[in-house]
Amino acid sequence: EVQLVESGGGLVQAGGSLRLSCAASGFAFGDYAIGWFRQAPGKEREGVSCISNGDNKTSYADSVKERFATSIDNAKSTAYLQMNNLKPEDTAVYYCAADSLNYCSSGPPLEYEFDFWGQGTQVTVSS
């Protein structure tokens, strides 16, 4: 059974940091790119970051560049999203997803490119 399980969300004050984890199982993690997405209340889900496996090429949405960093640990089949200098507008449910094409474009990831999805973890940033 394919599973992606996010963890690490929570409540943090503006300026603080959180690290999200995405634990994968049931598929060949090393052959997939991992994307992070978020959905704020009343808004469409948007791509946040992408990392391709092997070459570790990354891409980010402009709104999170210089503040967020994504990484992967193939030994643990886990991807991470380090979020620093959090702002209230970062409040959202964050999702990880896996792409069998293992490709990240220069821009933020697009939902249709991804095959498997996690259930999401809530991040709330207070002002």
Side-chain angles (χ1 to χ4, degrees), residues 67-79:
R67 299 189 298 123
F68 290 11
T70 185
S71 60
I72 50 177
D73 183 339
N74 282 319
K76 296 181 178 180
S77 294
T78 299

Side-chain angles (χ1 to χ4, degrees), residues 1 7 15 19 33 37 49 75:
E1 178 188 6
S7 61
R19 188 177 79 156
F37 296 78
S49 69

Side-chain angles (χ1 to χ4, degrees), residues 7-106:
S7 61
L11 174 63
V12 64
Q13 288 188 330
S17 297
L18 284 174
R19 188 177 79 156
L20 305 183
S21 298
C22 171
S25 61
F27 64 99
F29 181 80
D31 294 337
Y32 284 70
I34 300 297
W36 288 92
F37 296 78
R38 67 186 182 185
Q39 187 167 22
K43 294 188 177 182
E44 297 286 321
R45 188 155 56 184
E46 62 175 351
V48 173
S49 69
C50 182
I51 182 166
S52 55
N53 224 310
D55 61 3
N56 286 0
K57 175 185 173 184
T58 59
S59 62
Y60 298 91
D62 288 343
S63 59
V64 306
K65 280 180 181 176
E66 309 303 329
R67 299 189 298 123
F68 290 11
T70 185
S71 60
I72 50 177
D73 183 339
N74 282 319
K76 296 181 178 180
S77 294
T78 299
Y80 303 97
L81 183 67
Q82 178 68 43
M83 306 186 296
N84 300 324
N85 189 21
L86 282 160
K87 303 176 180 181
E89 52 263 43
D90 294 319
T91 294
V93 177
Y94 283 73
Y95 302 87
C96 64
D99 170 21
S100 60
L101 294 182
N102 193 23
Y103 172 75
C104 295
S105 67
S106 58

